[in-house]
Amino acid sequence: MDIEDLEVIDFLKSTLPLDSANSLQLESLVKEIRIGYRKRKHTLTLKPDFLYLVRKGAILIEDENEQLFSILGERQWLGYSAQLVLYSHSCQEDTLYYKIPKKLFFELFSEQSSVHQFFIDAGLESSIKVQNITKQNSLLNNSVLSMSRANDAYLIDPSTSIRDVAMLMSSKNVTSVVVTQNNMLSGIVTDRAFCTKVAAAGLDVSSPVSDIMTINPISIAHYKSGIEAMLLMANSHIRHLPILKNNQVVGMITAADLLRKQSHNVVFLINEVLVSETVKDLKKISEQVPLLLQHSFESNMDEHDITYSISSVGRSINQQLLKQAEGLLGLPPVPYAWVVAGSQARSEQIAHTDQDNLLILSDDYDEKLHGEYFSKLTHYVCDGLNECGYIYCPGDVMATNPKWRQRVSVWRSYFNSWILSPDPKALMYSSIFFDLKCIYGSSELLDELLPDVLNKTRKNTIFQSHMAHNAEHYVPPLGFFRNFIVDHHGTDKKTLDLKKKGVVPIVDFARVYALSKGIRVVNTQDRLRELMDIKALSRSGSSDLIEAYKFINLVRIEHQSRQIKSGNAANNFVPTKEISSLDQKHLKDAFGIVSNMQSAMSSHYQTSIL
């Protein structure tokens, strides 16, 4: 093989989706490749039996209406879509390209589904759905023995005194012990027995533990799954199961063990939050939130369900802290609404983030009479949230700041000034305070405020234009030739910030259109659906944008899941080397959709004149 062929093979190896091809496949391909070269402004005639790969230069594609469809650069393919073959393809620069027989290409890669999926021409939504392979991996399918904690089964003789058993359980911090006789399971003693059979009956603590044990307790085989253990406990109304192997006790599985292993179950976590009595308790639960994200992703949960679940846990922690604060301080002297803002209000949180919250107080509020109470309440909650990993807002947008702890009438004046005088600071606040959700207290305080606010945003076109202009601050990281524009983060020199340059442009876009139409819902996908229903956006545009949002966020979630599994702190900077060739193609498609919609927004709201 000559040097020129080796150079072509090296180029193909570094081109998606051929990065996974083997040497024999590439050598066979190179033998049939034809090289084409065209000068600038030349119009290409694509033949349907061939694929085309740009080696150098740029090709402009225009649709049947002579509208710009795309510009392709180095390492990009054309000719794979039957529809696009009919479009006009002209060289923007002197262009070198490879012409590859389709039949040979797909024969060589017939066993590699990723190559075929790369060239799916049914649009972003269909492509994403094709690759959405189920990958259930629930920890509750593991054996109960692997899920139980080490040394959890403390074996005692039936003659052991109640006092000694109590001291053992206290020192080992366990809630049960197993009674055995001749190495066989005889009974079980749980912490509940000390209440119902010792304290309530006034039993002598020097009596043998056999007097209070449950005889012939329900047990479970070591190879049974966590799901079977959970159902057995639920049906039998018990919280402890001795684990048997060859009829001998080898461990103990408890409801708490299942909770830890099933910490990705949002219902379990929220139930634990609701019975927590201290900040310390809530902190322990909040530490399970990263596992909630990881295991939800690994269980193939929908992107929307993952973010909704994580946001729900965060809101329940807020609520429980408020209950604890009221328990310490007494009932509030005047009605108030605890309101969260930003991603938590939109139900779009993933890994722990900073807190954004505010307090709307009844107009009966008097600073001299009531100020101390609400200052203490807000500090208890915000300090508690910080302890639980929801760090203090860097911009001090928290209810501890007196500016964001105000009566309804003051909040109304805030919104009026932001809408009527949309300066840069007002627009910054708008991106926070127009995504609100009351999660505790008197929700009617927010309810009476919002209709007037949304009526003003719907009528004020100057405000809308400024909001749209502000929404253009973050743009998708896609270059002129559909190449990624990468960031440097830490040791990784090629990363994509999938929060600020991925989901934020879509969030901002949806907010602008929703406010201009007076739509109250704040979740990004819900906003886009409502805009579609009232025909403020086309059905295809809304659907494409929703799918783009879901896919970008899913790549972001997968990245954070991988970091959490490796024991690292989660962030939003995704190395390009971490993204599969198929996902890179879909990301480019998604970014292209967002770019097109941003351009449409700019034109609609005439941001160029600002």
Side-chain angles (χ1 to χ4, degrees):
M1 185 171 293
D2 58 33
I3 295 176
E4 289 182 358
D5 287 344
L6 291 173
E7 185 186 2
V8 175
I9 286 176
D10 286 340
F11 178 80
L12 295 176
K13 277 184 178 178
S14 60
T15 299
L16 302 176
L18 302 183
D19 52 343
S20 60
N22 60 49
S23 298
L24 288 177
Q25 289 171 319
L26 294 177
E27 287 172 10
S28 299
L29 199 61
V30 167
K31 291 178 183 176
E32 301 298 326
I33 282 180
R34 303 178 191 177
I35 299 176
Y37 177 78
R38 293 291 182 267
K39 299 287 288 183
R40 180 175 175 270
K41 295 187 176 181
H42 180 88
T43 299
L44 291 175
T45 301
L46 302 189
K47 295 186 177 180
D49 296 335
F50 290 87
L51 291 173
Y52 297 80
L53 175 62
V54 180
R55 175 64 192 264
K56 288 182 180 179
I59 295 176
L60 181 144
I61 305 176
E62 293 179 323
D63 64 17
E64 63 272 16
N65 298 316
E66 298 185 356
Q67 297 296 310
L68 175 65
F69 179 82
S70 184
I71 298 178
L72 303 183
E74 184 178 327
R75 300 182 194 281
Q76 292 189 293
W77 298 83
L78 55 154
Y80 59 88
S81 165
Q83 178 188 1
L84 297 188
V85 167
L86 302 176
Y87 286 2
S88 169
H89 295 70
S90 58
C91 298
Q92 286 292 96
E93 304 172 4
D94 292 353
T95 301
L96 180 70
Y97 61 90
Y98 296 143
K99 187 176 175 183
I100 306 168
K102 273 187 185 176
K103 183 178 180 182
L104 170 67
F105 183 90
F106 288 111
E107 282 177 355
L108 285 172
F109 300 104
S110 60
E111 303 297 321
Q112 291 171 251
S113 60
S114 61
V115 174
H116 287 263
Q117 289 176 357
F118 185 87
F119 292 106
I120 290 173
D121 63 357
L124 178 66
E125 181 175 357
S126 299
S127 300
I128 293 168
K129 288 178 179 176
V130 167
Q131 65 139 3
N132 189 20
I133 300 169
T134 302
K135 47 183 178 180
Q136 296 289 346
N137 186 29
S138 172
L139 280 176
L140 282 185
N141 290 326
N142 293 346
S143 71
V144 290
L145 186 59
S146 68
M147 297 173 70
S148 62
R149 289 183 295 175
N151 303 318
D152 229 5
Y154 289 89
L155 310 183
I156 59 170
D157 189 87
S159 61
T160 308
S161 72
I162 294 171
R163 178 188 292 108
D164 289 342
V165 172
M167 293 175 64
L168 172 68
M169 291 172 66
S170 178
S171 65
K172 300 299 183 182
N173 193 29
V174 294
T175 56
S176 65
V177 291
V178 178
V179 182
T180 59
Q181 198 163 21
N182 300 323
N183 294 324
M184 303 293 288
L185 176 64
S186 179
I188 186 173
V189 178
T190 68
D191 51 3
R192 181 172 173 78
F194 288 90
C195 296
T196 59
K197 297 181 180 180
V198 179
L203 198 63
D204 186 351
V205 294
S206 63
S207 301
V209 77
S210 57
D211 288 355
I212 64 168
M213 73 180 185
T214 299
I215 301 172
N216 300 321
I218 298 171
S219 60
I220 190 167
H222 70 97
Y223 54 82
K224 294 289 188 178
S225 70
I227 291 174
E228 291 174 278
M230 181 181 289
L231 291 173
L232 183 56
M233 286 185 190
N235 293 331
S236 306
H237 304 290
I238 57 176
R239 297 177 62 83
H240 302 79
L241 278 176
I243 303 171
L244 302 186
K245 185 176 183 179
N246 298 326
N247 293 320
Q248 293 190 344
V249 178
V250 292
M252 173 73 73
I253 188 78
T254 70
D257 293 326
L258 292 172
L259 171 63
R260 281 191 297 275
K261 296 297 182 181
Q262 184 68 350
S263 59
H264 58 287
N265 186 308
V266 65
V267 177
F268 278 109
L269 277 182
I270 290 177
N271 283 339
E272 286 297 296
V273 168
L274 295 178
V275 297
S276 298
E277 297 180 352
T278 65
V279 174
K280 186 178 180 181
D281 294 337
L282 291 172
K283 181 181 179 182
K284 288 180 181 178
I285 297 167
S286 72
E287 289 169 353
Q288 302 299 317
V289 171
L291 288 177
L292 171 62
L293 181 143
Q294 178 199 333
H295 295 304
S296 296
F297 173 78
E298 291 179 348
S299 298
N300 200 39
M301 187 182 287
D302 179 77
E303 169 273 337
H304 179 270
D305 292 341
I306 293 174
T307 59
Y308 188 87
S309 296
I310 291 172
S311 302
S312 297
V313 174
R315 288 193 292 264
S316 67
I317 291 174
N318 271 260
Q319 292 160 349
Q320 196 63 16
L321 284 167
L322 284 157
K323 291 177 184 177
Q324 292 177 7
E326 288 185 357
L328 293 170
L329 300 171
L331 294 176
V334 295
Y336 74 93
W338 184 270
V339 179
V340 293
S343 60
Q344 190 170 91
R346 296 192 305 271
S347 295
E348 293 171 2
Q349 281 189 318
I350 45 177
H352 279 330
T353 183
D354 62 312
Q355 52 179 292
D356 292 313
N357 48 60
L358 56 101
L359 211 59
I360 302 176
L361 296 156
S362 163
D363 277 332
D364 295 330
Y365 172 79
D366 186 318
E367 174 66 24
K368 292 180 181 178
L369 297 176
H370 312 133
E372 183 179 359
Y373 177 93
F374 287 106
S375 176
K376 288 181 178 179
L377 180 136
T378 55
H379 277 88
Y380 182 92
V381 177
C382 292
D383 291 347
L385 287 171
N386 187 64
E387 281 286 307
C388 291
Y390 301 91
I391 61 173
Y392 297 122
C393 174
D396 202 20
V397 180
M398 298 181 294
T400 48
N401 184 340
K403 184 174 182 178
W404 311 127
R405 189 173 68 240
Q406 295 289 345
R407 291 172 295 151
V408 175
S409 56
V410 176
W411 277 106
R412 185 173 284 109
S413 69
Y414 283 171
F415 280 105
N416 286 343
S417 65
W418 294 335
I419 296 168
L420 297 175
S421 304
D423 58 32
K425 195 169 186 179
L427 292 169
M428 180 191 72
Y429 287 145
S430 297
S431 66
I432 300 171
F433 292 116
F434 282 94
D435 297 349
L436 300 178
K437 184 179 183 68
C438 176
I439 62 170
Y440 190 87
S442 303
S443 59
E444 60 270 16
L445 295 174
L446 179 61
D447 292 339
E448 69 178 79
L449 183 67
L450 284 180
D452 183 54
V453 169
L454 292 174
N455 187 47
K456 285 183 170 64
T457 63
R458 183 173 57 84
K459 292 181 177 179
N460 194 312
T461 55
I462 295 176
F463 171 76
Q464 294 168 15
S465 295
H466 279 279
M467 281 287 289
H469 182 67
N470 195 55
E472 296 172 337
H473 180 69
Y474 291 115
V475 297
L478 199 62
F480 196 64
F481 300 114
R482 281 178 60 87
N483 56 303
F484 289 132
I485 300 173
V486 295
D487 295 302
H488 292 187
H489 181 77
T491 57
D492 288 306
K493 295 184 178 180
K494 293 183 178 181
T495 65
L496 299 173
D497 184 347
L498 291 189
K499 180 181 179 180
K500 289 184 177 179
K501 299 179 182 179
V503 298
V504 166
I506 305 175
V507 171
D508 289 346
F509 175 94
R511 182 189 301 111
V512 170
Y513 275 84
L515 292 178
S516 71
K517 298 301 178 182
I519 292 174
R520 177 163 176 174
V521 297
V522 295
N523 176 267
T524 298
Q525 295 182 50
D526 289 346
R527 278 172 164 167
L528 292 170
R529 290 188 181 96
E530 289 213 12
L531 288 164
M532 176 174 61
D533 289 342
I534 65 173
K535 296 182 170 52
L537 291 177
S538 69
R539 180 167 296 277
S540 61
S542 297
S543 298
D544 283 349
L545 209 51
I546 288 171
E547 290 303 323
Y549 176 87
K550 290 169 70 172
F551 184 73
I552 294 168
N553 219 16
L554 199 59
V555 175
R556 179 179 166 220
I557 289 169
E558 181 177 11
H559 165 67
Q560 292 199 353
S561 173
R562 189 180 290 112
Q563 290 180 306
I564 292 163
K565 196 169 187 177
S566 302
N568 299 317
N571 61 42
N572 297 295
F573 294 92
V574 185
T576 53
K577 63 184 178 183
E578 190 180 282
I579 308 171
S580 71
S581 58
L582 182 60
D583 284 353
Q584 287 197 28
K585 176 183 181 293
H586 289 331
L587 271 180
K588 289 177 180 179
D589 291 341
F591 291 156
I593 288 170
V594 179
S595 293
N596 290 338
M597 296 300 277
Q598 281 188 324
S599 296
M601 177 183 68
S602 176
S603 175
H604 181 80
Y605 291 101
Q606 298 181 334
T607 62
S608 60
I609 66 175
L610 296 178

